[in-house]
Coordinates of all heavy atoms in Angstrom, one line a residue:
R327 N 102.7 128.4 81.5 CA 104.1 128.5 81.8 C 104.7 127.1 81.8 O 104.0 126.1 82.1 CB 104.3 129.1 83.3 CG 104.2 130.6 83.3 CD 104.9 131.1 84.6 NE 104.9 132.5 84.7 CZ 104.1 133.2 85.4 NH1 103.4 132.7 86.4 NH2 104.2 134.5 85.4
I328 N 106.0 127.1 81.5 CA 106.7 125.8 81.5 C 107.8 126.0 82.6 O 108.6 127.0 82.5 CB 107.4 125.5 80.2 CG1 106.3 125.3 79.0 CG2 108.3 124.3 80.3 CD1 106.8 125.4 77.7
F329 N 107.9 125.1 83.6 CA 108.8 125.3 84.7 C 110.0 124.5 84.5 O 110.0 123.3 84.4 CB 108.1 124.8 85.9 CG 108.8 125.1 87.3 CD1 109.0 126.3 87.7 CD2 109.4 124.0 87.9 CE1 109.7 126.5 88.9 CE2 110.2 124.2 89.1 CZ 110.3 125.5 89.6
A330 N 111.2 125.2 84.3 CA 112.4 124.6 83.9 C 113.6 125.2 84.7 O 114.4 126.0 84.1 CB 112.7 124.8 82.4
K331 N 113.8 124.9 86.0 CA 114.9 125.4 86.8 C 116.2 124.7 86.3 O 116.1 123.5 85.8 CB 114.6 125.1 88.2 CG 113.5 125.9 88.9 CD 114.0 127.4 89.0 CE 113.0 128.2 89.8 NZ 113.5 129.6 90.0
P332 N 117.3 125.3 86.5 CA 118.6 124.7 86.2 C 118.8 123.3 86.8 O 119.4 122.5 86.2 CB 119.6 125.8 86.7 CG 118.9 127.0 86.6 CD 117.5 126.7 87.0
F333 N 118.4 123.2 88.1 CA 118.6 121.8 88.7 C 117.8 120.7 88.0 O 118.2 119.5 88.2 CB 118.3 121.9 90.2 CG 116.9 121.9 90.5 CD1 116.1 120.8 90.7 CD2 116.1 123.1 90.7 CE1 114.8 120.7 91.1 CE2 114.8 123.1 91.1 CZ 114.1 121.9 91.3
M334 N 116.8 121.1 87.2 CA 116.0 120.1 86.5 C 116.5 119.9 85.1 O 115.9 119.1 84.4 CB 114.5 120.5 86.4 CG 113.9 120.8 87.7 SD 112.4 121.9 87.6 CE 111.5 121.0 86.4
T335 N 117.6 120.5 84.7 CA 118.2 120.6 83.4 C 119.5 119.9 83.3 O 120.3 120.3 84.1 CB 118.1 122.0 82.9 OG1 116.8 122.5 83.0 CG2 118.6 122.1 81.5
Q336 N 119.8 119.1 82.3 CA 121.1 118.6 82.1 C 122.1 119.7 81.8 O 121.8 120.5 80.9 CB 121.1 117.6 80.9 CG 122.3 116.9 80.6 CD 122.7 115.8 81.6 OE1 121.8 115.1 82.1 NE2 123.9 115.7 82.0
Q337 N 123.2 119.8 82.6 CA 124.1 120.9 82.4 C 125.3 120.7 81.5 O 125.9 121.7 81.2 CB 124.6 121.3 83.9 CG 123.5 121.7 84.8 CD 122.8 123.0 84.3 OE1 123.5 123.9 83.9 NE2 121.5 123.0 84.3
D338 N 125.5 119.4 81.1 CA 126.7 119.2 80.3 C 126.5 117.9 79.4 O 125.4 117.3 79.6 CB 128.0 119.0 81.1 CG 127.8 118.0 82.2 OD1 127.0 117.1 82.1 OD2 128.5 118.2 83.3
G339 N 127.4 117.7 78.6 CA 127.3 116.5 77.7 C 126.4 116.6 76.5 O 125.9 117.7 76.1
Q340 N 126.1 115.5 75.9 CA 125.3 115.4 74.7 C 123.9 116.1 74.8 O 123.4 116.7 73.9 CB 125.2 114.0 74.2 CG 124.3 113.8 72.9 CD 124.3 112.3 72.5 OE1 124.8 111.5 73.2 NE2 123.5 112.1 71.4
Y341 N 123.3 116.0 76.0 CA 122.0 116.4 76.2 C 121.8 117.7 77.0 O 120.8 118.0 77.6 CB 121.1 115.3 76.8 CG 121.1 114.0 76.0 CD1 121.8 112.9 76.4 CD2 120.5 114.0 74.8 CE1 121.8 111.8 75.6 CE2 120.5 112.8 73.9 CZ 121.2 111.7 74.4 OH 121.2 110.6 73.7
A342 N 123.0 118.5 77.0 CA 122.9 119.7 77.8 C 121.8 120.6 77.4 O 121.6 120.8 76.2 CB 124.3 120.4 77.7
G343 N 121.1 121.2 78.3 CA 120.1 122.1 78.1 C 118.7 121.4 77.9 O 117.7 122.2 77.7
T344 N 118.7 120.1 78.1 CA 117.4 119.4 78.0 C 117.0 118.9 79.4 O 117.8 118.9 80.3 CB 117.5 118.2 77.0 OG1 118.4 117.2 77.6 CG2 117.9 118.7 75.6
P345 N 115.8 118.4 79.6 CA 115.4 118.0 80.9 C 116.3 116.9 81.4 O 116.7 115.9 80.7 CB 113.9 117.4 80.6 CG 113.4 118.2 79.5 CD 114.6 118.5 78.7
F346 N 116.7 117.0 82.7 CA 117.6 116.1 83.3 C 116.8 114.8 83.8 O 116.0 114.9 84.8 CB 118.2 116.8 84.5 CG 119.3 115.9 85.3 CD1 119.9 114.8 84.8 CD2 119.6 116.3 86.7 CE1 120.8 114.1 85.4 CE2 120.5 115.5 87.4 CZ 121.1 114.4 86.8
R347 N 116.9 113.7 83.1 CA 116.0 112.6 83.3 C 116.6 111.6 84.3 O 117.7 111.7 84.7 CB 115.7 112.0 82.0 CG 116.9 111.5 81.2 CD 116.5 111.2 79.8 NE 115.5 110.1 79.7 CZ 114.8 109.9 78.6 NH1 115.0 110.6 77.5 NH2 113.9 109.0 78.6
T348 N 115.8 110.6 84.7 CA 116.2 109.6 85.6 C 117.2 108.7 85.1 O 118.2 108.3 85.7 CB 115.0 108.7 86.1 OG1 113.9 109.7 86.5 CG2 115.3 107.9 87.2
F349 N 117.0 108.2 83.8 CA 118.0 107.3 83.2 C 118.5 108.0 81.9 O 117.7 108.6 81.2 CB 117.3 106.0 82.8 CG 117.2 105.0 84.0 CD1 116.0 105.2 84.8 CD2 118.0 104.1 84.4 CE1 115.8 104.3 85.9 CE2 117.9 103.2 85.4 CZ 116.8 103.3 86.2
S350 N 119.7 107.7 81.6 CA 120.3 108.2 80.3 C 121.2 107.2 79.8 O 122.1 106.7 80.4 CB 121.0 109.4 80.5 OG 121.5 109.9 79.3
G351 N 121.0 106.6 78.5 CA 121.8 105.6 78.0 C 121.7 104.3 78.7 O 122.7 103.6 78.7
G352 N 120.6 104.1 79.4 CA 120.4 102.9 80.1 C 121.0 102.9 81.4 O 120.8 101.9 82.2
Q353 N 121.6 104.0 81.9 CA 122.2 104.1 83.2 C 121.4 105.1 84.1 O 120.9 106.1 83.6 CB 123.7 104.6 83.1 CG 124.6 103.8 82.2 CD 124.8 102.4 82.9 OE1 125.0 102.3 84.1 NE2 124.6 101.4 82.1
F354 N 121.3 104.8 85.4 CA 120.6 105.6 86.3 C 121.5 106.8 86.6 O 122.7 106.8 87.0 CB 120.4 104.8 87.6 CG 119.7 105.7 88.8 CD1 118.4 106.0 88.7 CD2 120.5 106.2 89.8 CE1 117.7 106.7 89.6 CE2 119.8 106.9 90.8 CZ 118.5 107.2 90.7
V355 N 121.0 108.0 86.3 CA 121.8 109.3 86.5 C 121.2 110.2 87.5 O 121.7 111.2 87.9 CB 121.9 110.1 85.1 CG1 122.7 109.3 84.2 CG2 120.5 110.4 84.5
G356 N 120.0 109.7 88.1 CA 119.5 110.4 89.3 C 118.8 111.7 89.0 O 118.8 112.6 89.9

Side-chain angles (χ1 to χ4, degrees):
R327 281 203 178 108
I328 299 168
F329 187 70
K331 288 288 190 181
F333 75 89
M334 303 160 56
T335 302
Q336 184 73 38
Q337 295 299 311
D338 51 30
Q340 179 181 358
Y341 302 109
T344 67
F346 183 24
R347 55 194 304 165
T348 306
F349 284 87
S350 181
Q353 300 298 313
F354 179 75
V355 294

